[in-house]
Amino acid sequence: MSFPWAKQYEPQQPLMKWLDEKLPLPRLVYNAVGAGYPVPRNLNYFWNFGVLAGAALAIQIITGIVLAMHYAANAGVAFNSVEHIMRDVNAGWFIRYAHMNGASMFFIVVYLHIFRGLYYGSYKAPREMVWLLGVVIFLLMMATAFMGYVLPWGQMSFWGAQVITGFFSAIPVVGEPIRVWLLGGFAPDNAALNRFFSLHYLLPFVIAGVVILHIWALHIPGSNNPTGIEVKDEQDTVPFHPYYTAKDGFGLGIFLLMFVLLTFFSPNLLGHADNYIPANPLSTPAHIVPEWYFWPFYAILRAFTFNFLWIDAKLWGVIAMFASIALLFFLPWLDSSPVKSSTYRPLYKKFFWVLVFDVLLLGVCGKMPAEQPWVVLSQIGAAYYFAHFLIILPIVSRIERPAPMPNSITEAVLAKHADDMSAAATA
Amino acid sequence: MASETNLNAGIEEGVRRRDFINIAAVSFAGVGAVAVVLPLVNQMNPSADVLALSSTEIDISAIETGQAIKTSWRKQPVFVRNLTATEIAAANKVPLSELRDPQTLAERTKVGKENWLITLGVCTHLGCVPLGAAEGEPRGDFGGYFCPCHGSHYDTAARIRKGPAPKNLVVPPYEFTSDTAVTIG
């Protein structure tokens, strides 16, 4: 499951030799993220985001376990227990703000990780399984983040739970019983809060499990790289350690810097003031909005304001929102171009940037109230999102004429090096 | 091992006793697994104490014509509105063909009590509480209720007229226990 020239683990100390015979855990680590994993030599900084997502997950799990020591999942006291964490628990404010902003940082790096994959064609054969598991992780993250947001039992928590579980009531006939079953009541209350807490504690460990599968599946073909050309021989790769442990370490430093800037100087920048008002089942806030990382999907949900065919607007919105993510499962087969990297795909590259703009536009629409011009913009944005994957991508991958490609990673690297040298010489 | 196989082959043709035992054992284990899943799924349904809140008494004597109150049934908001004659007339004037969820005001109220409009305060879109029950709140383009979350407008009979909601505001089961008291549920 690795290249034949991968370095072999050879323990020197007697204790490590003894351990290697009984339980070869150090060997596993060595082959996964040590010198035993050969990686393309030309990775750029966009390849940092996988490790950063792993770090963010670790931060969420650690801060989350600590918060659970002080939090009480009971509708009567949940809000006050969060205030107790903020005011009374030693360093509680820091741990909670780190957990709150850690979720945002997690989504930031995961979105960059996803768009890196889209730009460099990392979802294509032979890495389809890596992509599919990644989409599963993304879905699990969304479920976890949603349930976590309910726990403080503020106004946004409560109404978020009401609206999101309301999605299920759009399903014909069985929808309402499913909603009541999920909530354990007719509206969000103690039963819902308790089960959300239980699942919010469980799912991160499920995510960690799927992350292991994601890395396992990645290490069979090995990492993609900015040229999208597969590794051909030893000179195309360098060992993960020390080359990429060092590069990822540098990236991690920048990531942590951003994280503490946000946590210490603007901890509520990405939150909503309404969530510091205790949940009130009899009054909806004037403007309900999810956390920023759900805005594009929320915009797609709200884009359907009219009944169409025999399906009503509400069900269309819910179907479209789920489909916008489910679509990603089919991506490896919607794009049939054998060329992976956008560097050599002049036409795809343009549409990639249009998609980035479209998702950002949907994000803004999701934040804004359901009024014009945002409704029309989210309709256009949602239509384009689906068109990108279902129409544009299959056509582009058939008609596009790729740019000339180097024969190997090494050739690409040396050509770039020669260009730099001649540029330096002429300068 | 080889002799045993030969022995079995000699005695049994077609379906062997062992095949039957395998299928029976696995099927029985499957039935057992399903039997265990049932309580695990059912535990998530509303518990007895949640269901016990399923009827609420309200005193409507203090609600003047044109006023509405917000109360709560099964932890969900309920609107009780004392309709004015104008509002009743406006509701009755609308042809049913214009409605997304066709219902007359009479079908949504009790005989002889057409002025008492009792509905859940839960938007049928995604469950927000519509505005319009309290004094000074916007009542939408049709003079009933307006949901601020995704912009659904309800008319004076709390029927959906505009926006993403598919249905009229739900009329819960209720009865008048006297002229001034209503039991919901």
mmCIF file of all heavy atoms in Angstrom, chain A residues 60-100:
data_model
loop_
_atom_site.group_PDB
_atom_site.id
_atom_site.type_symbol
_atom_site.label_atom_id
_atom_site.label_comp_id
_atom_site.label_asym_id
_atom_site.label_seq_id
_atom_site.Cartn_x
_atom_site.Cartn_y
_atom_site.Cartn_z
ATOM 1 N N GLN A 60 -11.383 20.489 19.090
ATOM 2 C CA GLN A 60 -12.811 20.415 19.425
ATOM 3 C C GLN A 60 -13.082 19.304 20.432
ATOM 4 O O GLN A 60 -13.881 19.474 21.348
ATOM 5 C CB GLN A 60 -13.662 20.190 18.163
ATOM 6 C CG GLN A 60 -13.750 21.388 17.243
ATOM 7 C CD GLN A 60 -14.189 22.642 17.953
ATOM 8 O OE1 GLN A 60 -13.360 23.397 18.454
ATOM 9 N NE2 GLN A 60 -15.478 22.884 18.019
ATOM 10 N N ILE A 61 -12.430 18.161 20.230
ATOM 11 C CA ILE A 61 -12.671 17.036 21.139
ATOM 12 C C ILE A 61 -12.155 17.369 22.541
ATOM 13 O O ILE A 61 -12.849 17.169 23.546
ATOM 14 C CB ILE A 61 -12.034 15.736 20.586
ATOM 15 C CG1 ILE A 61 -12.835 15.262 19.362
ATOM 16 C CG2 ILE A 61 -12.004 14.640 21.652
ATOM 17 C CD1 ILE A 61 -12.306 13.999 18.702
ATOM 18 N N ILE A 62 -10.950 17.954 22.612
ATOM 19 C CA ILE A 62 -10.377 18.250 23.935
ATOM 20 C C ILE A 62 -11.201 19.328 24.657
ATOM 21 O O ILE A 62 -11.626 19.142 25.803
ATOM 22 C CB ILE A 62 -8.898 18.683 23.792
ATOM 23 C CG1 ILE A 62 -8.066 17.495 23.300
ATOM 24 C CG2 ILE A 62 -8.358 19.204 25.126
ATOM 25 C CD1 ILE A 62 -6.682 17.877 22.804
ATOM 26 N N THR A 63 -11.465 20.445 23.978
ATOM 27 C CA THR A 63 -12.237 21.505 24.639
ATOM 28 C C THR A 63 -13.647 21.005 24.959
ATOM 29 O O THR A 63 -14.213 21.355 25.996
ATOM 30 C CB THR A 63 -12.312 22.777 23.777
ATOM 31 O OG1 THR A 63 -12.768 22.421 22.474
ATOM 32 C CG2 THR A 63 -10.983 23.469 23.672
ATOM 33 N N GLY A 64 -14.196 20.180 24.069
ATOM 34 C CA GLY A 64 -15.561 19.686 24.258
ATOM 35 C C GLY A 64 -15.673 18.786 25.472
ATOM 36 O O GLY A 64 -16.621 18.894 26.258
ATOM 37 N N ILE A 65 -14.699 17.902 25.653
ATOM 38 C CA ILE A 65 -14.738 17.005 26.814
ATOM 39 C C ILE A 65 -14.685 17.838 28.097
ATOM 40 O O ILE A 65 -15.405 17.573 29.065
ATOM 41 C CB ILE A 65 -13.579 15.987 26.743
ATOM 42 C CG1 ILE A 65 -13.869 14.965 25.632
ATOM 43 C CG2 ILE A 65 -13.392 15.274 28.071
ATOM 44 C CD1 ILE A 65 -12.728 14.032 25.325
ATOM 45 N N VAL A 66 -13.843 18.877 28.088
ATOM 46 C CA VAL A 66 -13.738 19.728 29.268
ATOM 47 C C VAL A 66 -15.061 20.466 29.519
ATOM 48 O O VAL A 66 -15.550 20.533 30.654
ATOM 49 C CB VAL A 66 -12.566 20.725 29.102
ATOM 50 C CG1 VAL A 66 -12.547 21.714 30.241
ATOM 51 C CG2 VAL A 66 -11.247 19.978 29.010
ATOM 52 N N LEU A 67 -15.667 20.990 28.466
ATOM 53 C CA LEU A 67 -16.940 21.706 28.633
ATOM 54 C C LEU A 67 -18.017 20.790 29.202
ATOM 55 O O LEU A 67 -18.837 21.204 30.029
ATOM 56 C CB LEU A 67 -17.409 22.287 27.298
ATOM 57 C CG LEU A 67 -16.640 23.504 26.785
ATOM 58 C CD1 LEU A 67 -17.102 23.867 25.385
ATOM 59 C CD2 LEU A 67 -16.811 24.686 27.717
ATOM 60 N N ALA A 68 -17.999 19.521 28.756
ATOM 61 C CA ALA A 68 -19.021 18.571 29.219
ATOM 62 C C ALA A 68 -18.917 18.319 30.717
ATOM 63 O O ALA A 68 -19.873 17.877 31.352
ATOM 64 C CB ALA A 68 -18.904 17.258 28.453
ATOM 65 N N MET A 69 -17.747 18.618 31.309
ATOM 66 C CA MET A 69 -17.592 18.459 32.758
ATOM 67 C C MET A 69 -18.379 19.521 33.530
ATOM 68 O O MET A 69 -18.636 19.378 34.713
ATOM 69 C CB MET A 69 -16.110 18.566 33.149
ATOM 70 C CG MET A 69 -15.270 17.435 32.576
ATOM 71 S SD MET A 69 -13.547 17.673 33.009
ATOM 72 C CE MET A 69 -12.789 16.354 32.070
ATOM 73 N N HIS A 70 -18.727 20.622 32.835
ATOM 74 C CA HIS A 70 -19.386 21.730 33.537
ATOM 75 C C HIS A 70 -20.790 22.022 33.039
ATOM 76 O O HIS A 70 -21.545 22.738 33.669
ATOM 77 C CB HIS A 70 -18.544 23.006 33.389
ATOM 78 C CG HIS A 70 -17.150 22.843 33.883
ATOM 79 N ND1 HIS A 70 -16.835 22.879 35.226
ATOM 80 C CD2 HIS A 70 -15.990 22.604 33.228
ATOM 81 C CE1 HIS A 70 -15.522 22.679 35.361
ATOM 82 N NE2 HIS A 70 -15.001 22.511 34.174
ATOM 83 N N TYR A 71 -21.110 21.475 31.870
ATOM 84 C CA TYR A 71 -22.382 21.775 31.226
ATOM 85 C C TYR A 71 -23.471 20.836 31.743
ATOM 86 O O TYR A 71 -23.203 19.691 32.082
ATOM 87 C CB TYR A 71 -22.219 21.617 29.714
ATOM 88 C CG TYR A 71 -23.495 21.659 28.932
ATOM 89 C CD1 TYR A 71 -24.128 22.868 28.666
ATOM 90 C CD2 TYR A 71 -24.092 20.483 28.457
ATOM 91 C CE1 TYR A 71 -25.309 22.916 27.945
ATOM 92 C CE2 TYR A 71 -25.264 20.526 27.736
ATOM 93 C CZ TYR A 71 -25.866 21.735 27.489
ATOM 94 O OH TYR A 71 -27.044 21.782 26.785
ATOM 95 N N ALA A 72 -24.708 21.325 31.826
ATOM 96 C CA ALA A 72 -25.834 20.483 32.233
ATOM 97 C C ALA A 72 -26.872 20.456 31.122
ATOM 98 O O ALA A 72 -27.431 21.495 30.776
ATOM 99 C CB ALA A 72 -26.458 21.032 33.514
ATOM 100 N N ALA A 73 -27.101 19.255 30.557
ATOM 101 C CA ALA A 73 -28.018 19.128 29.416
ATOM 102 C C ALA A 73 -29.446 18.984 29.914
ATOM 103 O O ALA A 73 -30.059 17.930 29.807
ATOM 104 C CB ALA A 73 -27.624 17.934 28.554
ATOM 105 N N ASN A 74 -29.982 20.055 30.475
ATOM 106 C CA ASN A 74 -31.370 20.044 30.926
ATOM 107 C C ASN A 74 -31.961 21.396 30.548
ATOM 108 O O ASN A 74 -31.355 22.432 30.823
ATOM 109 C CB ASN A 74 -31.419 19.835 32.441
ATOM 110 C CG ASN A 74 -32.837 19.849 32.953
ATOM 111 O OD1 ASN A 74 -33.519 20.864 32.880
ATOM 112 N ND2 ASN A 74 -33.286 18.718 33.466
ATOM 113 N N ALA A 75 -33.127 21.366 29.902
ATOM 114 C CA ALA A 75 -33.687 22.606 29.363
ATOM 115 C C ALA A 75 -33.868 23.666 30.449
ATOM 116 O O ALA A 75 -33.809 24.854 30.172
ATOM 117 C CB ALA A 75 -35.007 22.308 28.668
ATOM 118 N N GLY A 76 -34.056 23.212 31.696
ATOM 119 C CA GLY A 76 -34.239 24.183 32.770
ATOM 120 C C GLY A 76 -32.970 24.935 33.137
ATOM 121 O O GLY A 76 -33.031 26.087 33.567
ATOM 122 N N VAL A 77 -31.828 24.294 33.008
ATOM 123 C CA VAL A 77 -30.584 24.902 33.513
ATOM 124 C C VAL A 77 -29.484 25.042 32.464
ATOM 125 O O VAL A 77 -28.437 25.610 32.763
ATOM 126 C CB VAL A 77 -30.033 24.094 34.717
ATOM 127 C CG1 VAL A 77 -30.967 24.185 35.889
ATOM 128 C CG2 VAL A 77 -29.772 22.648 34.340
ATOM 129 N N ALA A 78 -29.716 24.534 31.253
ATOM 130 C CA ALA A 78 -28.643 24.515 30.247
ATOM 131 C C ALA A 78 -28.087 25.916 29.998
ATOM 132 O O ALA A 78 -26.866 26.128 30.025
ATOM 133 C CB ALA A 78 -29.148 23.916 28.936
ATOM 134 N N PHE A 79 -28.989 26.884 29.780
ATOM 135 C CA PHE A 79 -28.538 28.249 29.476
ATOM 136 C C PHE A 79 -27.689 28.789 30.624
ATOM 137 O O PHE A 79 -26.595 29.324 30.409
ATOM 138 C CB PHE A 79 -29.747 29.154 29.235
ATOM 139 C CG PHE A 79 -29.370 30.539 28.796
ATOM 140 C CD1 PHE A 79 -29.185 30.831 27.454
ATOM 141 C CD2 PHE A 79 -29.189 31.549 29.728
ATOM 142 C CE1 PHE A 79 -28.824 32.104 27.046
ATOM 143 C CE2 PHE A 79 -28.819 32.824 29.321
ATOM 144 C CZ PHE A 79 -28.634 33.102 27.976
ATOM 145 N N ASN A 80 -28.185 28.579 31.847
ATOM 146 C CA ASN A 80 -27.441 29.092 33.002
ATOM 147 C C ASN A 80 -26.125 28.353 33.203
ATOM 148 O O ASN A 80 -25.154 28.946 33.686
ATOM 149 C CB ASN A 80 -28.295 28.995 34.261
ATOM 150 C CG ASN A 80 -29.412 30.021 34.236
ATOM 151 O OD1 ASN A 80 -29.327 31.005 33.495
ATOM 152 N ND2 ASN A 80 -30.452 29.776 35.006
ATOM 153 N N SER A 81 -26.092 27.063 32.850
ATOM 154 C CA SER A 81 -24.833 26.331 33.039
ATOM 155 C C SER A 81 -23.780 26.852 32.069
ATOM 156 O O SER A 81 -22.591 26.854 32.402
ATOM 157 C CB SER A 81 -25.046 24.824 32.902
ATOM 158 O OG SER A 81 -25.089 24.428 31.560
ATOM 159 N N VAL A 82 -24.205 27.309 30.882
ATOM 160 C CA VAL A 82 -23.233 27.903 29.951
ATOM 161 C C VAL A 82 -22.746 29.240 30.504
ATOM 162 O O VAL A 82 -21.559 29.553 30.461
ATOM 163 C CB VAL A 82 -23.843 28.046 28.538
ATOM 164 C CG1 VAL A 82 -22.903 28.823 27.630
ATOM 165 C CG2 VAL A 82 -24.131 26.677 27.945
ATOM 166 N N GLU A 83 -23.661 30.015 31.082
ATOM 167 C CA GLU A 83 -23.244 31.282 31.709
ATOM 168 C C GLU A 83 -22.326 31.010 32.900
ATOM 169 O O GLU A 83 -21.385 31.770 33.153
ATOM 170 C CB GLU A 83 -24.473 32.095 32.143
ATOM 171 C CG GLU A 83 -25.204 32.725 30.969
ATOM 172 C CD GLU A 83 -24.277 33.525 30.058
ATOM 173 O OE1 GLU A 83 -23.575 34.424 30.550
ATOM 174 O OE2 GLU A 83 -24.236 33.221 28.852
ATOM 175 N N HIS A 84 -22.607 29.907 33.612
ATOM 176 C CA HIS A 84 -21.740 29.502 34.724
ATOM 177 C C HIS A 84 -20.339 29.189 34.207
ATOM 178 O O HIS A 84 -19.339 29.591 34.807
ATOM 179 C CB HIS A 84 -22.389 28.285 35.411
ATOM 180 C CG HIS A 84 -21.460 27.415 36.185
ATOM 181 N ND1 HIS A 84 -20.959 27.767 37.413
ATOM 182 C CD2 HIS A 84 -20.945 26.195 35.897
ATOM 183 C CE1 HIS A 84 -20.177 26.785 37.856
ATOM 184 N NE2 HIS A 84 -20.150 25.829 36.948
ATOM 185 N N ILE A 85 -20.267 28.506 33.064
ATOM 186 C CA ILE A 85 -18.954 28.233 32.465
ATOM 187 C C ILE A 85 -18.261 29.554 32.123
ATOM 188 O O ILE A 85 -17.075 29.741 32.409
ATOM 189 C CB ILE A 85 -19.115 27.359 31.194
ATOM 190 C CG1 ILE A 85 -19.551 25.934 31.569
ATOM 191 C CG2 ILE A 85 -17.806 27.317 30.401
ATOM 192 C CD1 ILE A 85 -19.978 25.079 30.394
ATOM 193 N N MET A 86 -19.027 30.501 31.565
ATOM 194 C CA MET A 86 -18.445 31.768 31.123
ATOM 195 C C MET A 86 -17.970 32.623 32.303
ATOM 196 O O MET A 86 -16.994 33.352 32.186
ATOM 197 C CB MET A 86 -19.458 32.572 30.311
ATOM 198 C CG MET A 86 -19.839 31.947 28.990
ATOM 199 S SD MET A 86 -18.433 31.715 27.911
ATOM 200 C CE MET A 86 -18.113 33.390 27.403
ATOM 201 N N ARG A 87 -18.704 32.557 33.424
ATOM 202 C CA ARG A 87 -18.415 33.509 34.509
ATOM 203 C C ARG A 87 -17.675 32.893 35.688
ATOM 204 O O ARG A 87 -16.851 33.552 36.315
ATOM 205 C CB ARG A 87 -19.730 34.099 35.040
ATOM 206 C CG ARG A 87 -20.436 34.968 34.026
ATOM 207 C CD ARG A 87 -21.924 35.004 34.293
ATOM 208 N NE ARG A 87 -22.641 35.525 33.153
ATOM 209 C CZ ARG A 87 -23.334 36.665 33.158
ATOM 210 N NH1 ARG A 87 -23.420 37.392 34.241
ATOM 211 N NH2 ARG A 87 -23.959 37.059 32.069
ATOM 212 N N ASP A 88 -18.010 31.634 36.026
ATOM 213 C CA ASP A 88 -17.519 31.066 37.286
ATOM 214 C C ASP A 88 -16.398 30.045 37.121
ATOM 215 O O ASP A 88 -15.489 29.995 37.939
ATOM 216 C CB ASP A 88 -18.673 30.381 38.039
ATOM 217 C CG ASP A 88 -19.832 31.330 38.296
ATOM 218 O OD1 ASP A 88 -19.579 32.550 38.287
ATOM 219 O OD2 ASP A 88 -20.952 30.852 38.485
ATOM 220 N N VAL A 89 -16.509 29.194 36.109
ATOM 221 C CA VAL A 89 -15.512 28.125 35.963
ATOM 222 C C VAL A 89 -14.155 28.743 35.636
ATOM 223 O O VAL A 89 -14.073 29.658 34.818
ATOM 224 C CB VAL A 89 -15.943 27.154 34.839
ATOM 225 C CG1 VAL A 89 -14.857 26.129 34.567
ATOM 226 C CG2 VAL A 89 -17.248 26.466 35.208
ATOM 227 N N ASN A 90 -13.097 28.240 36.273
ATOM 228 C CA ASN A 90 -11.757 28.764 36.013
ATOM 229 C C ASN A 90 -11.399 28.572 34.548
ATOM 230 O O ASN A 90 -11.440 27.456 34.038
ATOM 231 C CB ASN A 90 -10.729 28.042 36.883
ATOM 232 C CG ASN A 90 -11.022 28.251 38.349
ATOM 233 O OD1 ASN A 90 -11.358 29.364 38.771
ATOM 234 N ND2 ASN A 90 -10.933 27.179 39.128
ATOM 235 N N ALA A 91 -11.081 29.656 33.880
ATOM 236 C CA ALA A 91 -10.742 29.654 32.440
ATOM 237 C C ALA A 91 -11.886 29.127 31.584
ATOM 238 O O ALA A 91 -11.689 28.795 30.415
ATOM 239 C CB ALA A 91 -9.469 28.872 32.151
ATOM 240 N N GLY A 92 -13.084 29.051 32.168
ATOM 241 C CA GLY A 92 -14.229 28.527 31.422
ATOM 242 C C GLY A 92 -14.529 29.357 30.186
ATOM 243 O O GLY A 92 -14.812 28.810 29.113
ATOM 244 N N TRP A 93 -14.442 30.686 30.330
ATOM 245 C CA TRP A 93 -14.704 31.563 29.173
ATOM 246 C C TRP A 93 -13.771 31.225 28.020
ATOM 247 O O TRP A 93 -14.174 31.211 26.873
ATOM 248 C CB TRP A 93 -14.506 33.039 29.574
ATOM 249 C CG TRP A 93 -13.100 33.334 30.031
ATOM 250 C CD1 TRP A 93 -12.614 33.224 31.290
ATOM 251 C CD2 TRP A 93 -11.992 33.717 29.204
ATOM 252 N NE1 TRP A 93 -11.279 33.519 31.315
ATOM 253 C CE2 TRP A 93 -10.870 33.835 30.053
ATOM 254 C CE3 TRP A 93 -11.845 33.983 27.839
ATOM 255 C CZ2 TRP A 93 -9.611 34.194 29.579
ATOM 256 C CZ3 TRP A 93 -10.590 34.343 27.371
ATOM 257 C CH2 TRP A 93 -9.485 34.446 28.242
ATOM 258 N N PHE A 94 -12.503 30.913 28.357
ATOM 259 C CA PHE A 94 -11.514 30.625 27.317
ATOM 260 C C PHE A 94 -11.838 29.311 26.618
ATOM 261 O O PHE A 94 -11.821 29.211 25.393
ATOM 262 C CB PHE A 94 -10.117 30.584 27.942
ATOM 263 C CG PHE A 94 -9.085 29.973 27.042
ATOM 264 C CD1 PHE A 94 -8.753 30.581 25.842
ATOM 265 C CD2 PHE A 94 -8.460 28.788 27.380
ATOM 266 C CE1 PHE A 94 -7.814 30.022 24.997
ATOM 267 C CE2 PHE A 94 -7.517 28.221 26.535
ATOM 268 C CZ PHE A 94 -7.196 28.838 25.352
ATOM 269 N N ILE A 95 -12.189 28.303 27.424
ATOM 270 C CA ILE A 95 -12.455 26.984 26.846
ATOM 271 C C ILE A 95 -13.707 27.043 25.973
ATOM 272 O O ILE A 95 -13.744 26.504 24.879
ATOM 273 C CB ILE A 95 -12.573 25.929 27.970
ATOM 274 C CG1 ILE A 95 -11.227 25.816 28.686
ATOM 275 C CG2 ILE A 95 -12.966 24.578 27.412
ATOM 276 C CD1 ILE A 95 -11.322 25.257 30.076
ATOM 277 N N ARG A 96 -14.731 27.756 26.441
ATOM 278 C CA ARG A 96 -15.945 27.818 25.637
ATOM 279 C C ARG A 96 -15.716 28.625 24.361
ATOM 280 O O ARG A 96 -16.125 28.208 23.272
ATOM 281 C CB ARG A 96 -17.097 28.435 26.422
ATOM 282 C CG ARG A 96 -18.299 28.661 25.518
ATOM 283 C CD ARG A 96 -19.595 28.874 26.222
ATOM 284 N NE ARG A 96 -20.617 29.146 25.225
ATOM 285 C CZ ARG A 96 -20.970 30.369 24.841
ATOM 286 N NH1 ARG A 96 -20.404 31.428 25.365
ATOM 287 N NH2 ARG A 96 -21.881 30.522 23.916
ATOM 288 N N TYR A 97 -15.046 29.765 24.479
ATOM 289 C CA TYR A 97 -14.775 30.553 23.268
ATOM 290 C C TYR A 97 -13.900 29.775 22.287
ATOM 291 O O TYR A 97 -14.073 29.873 21.075
ATOM 292 C CB TYR A 97 -14.104 31.880 23.633
ATOM 293 C CG TYR A 97 -15.068 32.986 24.009
ATOM 294 C CD1 TYR A 97 -14.653 34.061 24.785
ATOM 295 C CD2 TYR A 97 -16.388 32.978 23.553
ATOM 296 C CE1 TYR A 97 -15.522 35.090 25.126
ATOM 297 C CE2 TYR A 97 -17.255 33.997 23.889
ATOM 298 C CZ TYR A 97 -16.827 35.052 24.668
ATOM 299 O OH TYR A 97 -17.679 36.068 24.990
ATOM 300 N N ALA A 98 -12.951 28.984 22.840
ATOM 301 C CA ALA A 98 -12.097 28.185 21.955
ATOM 302 C C ALA A 98 -12.940 27.141 21.226
ATOM 303 O O ALA A 98 -12.756 26.892 20.032
ATOM 304 C CB ALA A 98 -10.984 27.512 22.760
ATOM 305 N N HIS A 99 -13.902 26.541 21.929
ATOM 306 C CA HIS A 99 -14.755 25.516 21.321
ATOM 307 C C HIS A 99 -15.674 26.136 20.266
ATOM 308 O O HIS A 99 -15.847 25.595 19.177
ATOM 309 C CB HIS A 99 -15.588 24.835 22.409
ATOM 310 C CG HIS A 99 -16.223 23.545 21.985
ATOM 311 N ND1 HIS A 99 -15.514 22.388 21.786
ATOM 312 C CD2 HIS A 99 -17.514 23.212 21.722
ATOM 313 C CE1 HIS A 99 -16.330 21.411 21.428
ATOM 314 N NE2 HIS A 99 -17.565 21.876 21.371
ATOM 315 N N MET A 100 -16.235 27.296 20.614
ATOM 316 C CA MET A 100 -17.150 28.014 19.710
ATOM 317 C C MET A 100 -16.440 28.422 18.430
ATOM 318 O O MET A 100 -16.904 28.150 17.330
ATOM 319 C CB MET A 100 -17.577 29.289 20.443
ATOM 320 C CG MET A 100 -19.024 29.568 20.480
ATOM 321 S SD MET A 100 -19.277 30.950 21.632
ATOM 322 C CE MET A 100 -19.196 32.330 20.528
#
